[in-house]
Amino acid sequence: MGWGPVSHGSAYNPFCRLPGRTMDAGSHLADWRVMVEYLVLVSPVWSLIPGAARQRIVVKKWEALGDGVCDATAAIVVERRRPPALQSDEWIARQRRKIDEGVAELARELGDRAWCYGEACSLADIATGCALGYLDLRHADLDWRDLYPNLARLADKLGKRASFAEPAPPAGALRTPPTPARATAGGNGPWRHLRAAGAIGGRGGSGPSGAP
């Protein structure tokens, strides 16, 4: 929810993380994973997650990979918002390794298939597409498209869907600046995931949305 002393996010999530969804009765769903499950349950048109246990775990594995890439990306964003003297190059490098290995694993899992799981878009594709889109937003210098053309094809295909295109920020917006020079070094999932899931699943969400 940003790097600052005050956050109003606790009105929706006690951990001050976005997104949060306000229900009709005034209660809140405080984690996007719960919100995805909610969308799957209420959607009359499409299930983003298979019902069978084994297939469900396969899709949830993709979800976890996408989340891991997003978490590491967000960690770098937040670290670079700290005062320059408190930033840690070692911490940033550690998160960068997580991103590199996570994206490599996504590419290996996708292979030459058109979709991450099955024959249509699922939560696996949403998680992967949002992770790659978040990388483009925050770390456009990473060359994942050249390294993994199969992921680039998937991302381009997803990007043409209204559920991805409509909530996408303008090109270049909110991009993470380079780490500023300093004298000394010191020692969570993006909103588009839920917007895409809501549109594809047939039901949208309300409440705050955003990510570092």
Side-chain angles (χ1 to χ4, degrees):
M1 288 201 178
W3 186 268
V6 178
S7 173
H8 301 290
S10 58
Y12 304 95
N13 186 329
F15 305 110
C16 293
R17 297 184 64 179
L18 294 180
R21 188 186 197 284
T22 301
M23 308 294 286
D24 293 339
S27 61
H28 305 293
L29 299 180
D31 186 274
W32 69 261
R33 296 172 183 84
V34 178
M35 285 183 269
V36 168
E37 295 284 350
Y38 169 79
L39 292 170
V40 168
L41 289 174
V42 302
S43 173
V45 296
W46 197 347
S47 178
L48 299 173
I49 309 174
R54 186 177 296 275
Q55 288 80 3
R56 184 183 184 88
I57 291 300
V58 172
V59 169
K60 298 293 281 186
K61 176 183 176 181
W62 280 95
E63 181 186 35
L65 285 171
D67 292 350
V69 172
C70 288
D71 286 346
T73 302
I76 293 176
V77 173
V78 172
E79 182 69 13
R80 287 179 173 171
R81 288 179 179 173
R82 303 180 74 195
L86 298 179
Q87 293 181 28
S88 170
D89 290 334
E90 181 180 359
W91 173 257
I92 291 174
R94 184 175 184 179
Q95 304 310 313
R96 174 61 187 268
R97 287 194 297 272
K98 293 179 183 179
I99 293 171
D100 292 343
E101 293 175 8
V103 174
E105 181 68 12
L106 289 171
R108 283 193 294 269
E109 290 288 333
L110 179 60
D112 59 358
R113 297 195 304 273
W115 300 101
C116 296
Y117 173 81
E119 301 301 324
C121 186
S122 72
L123 181 60
D125 302 281
I126 294 174
T128 301
C130 287
L132 298 175
Y134 194 39
L135 280 179
D136 281 345
L137 176 68
R138 291 303 194 181
H139 302 301
D141 57 309
L142 299 183
D143 60 350
W144 65 267
R145 289 178 176 273
D146 291 334
L147 289 173
Y148 308 113
N150 59 340
L151 291 180
R153 288 191 296 270
L154 176 66
D156 290 342
K157 177 168 60 177
L158 291 171
K160 295 176 183 177
R161 303 175 71 100
S163 53
F164 273 82
E166 291 176 2
L174 304 176
R175 190 159 292 160
T176 303
T179 304
R182 57 192 184 277
T184 59
N188 303 331
W191 57 277
R192 204 162 63 146
H193 194 136
L194 258 293
R195 294 285 294 275
I200 293 174
R203 290 286 292 272
S206 62
S209 60

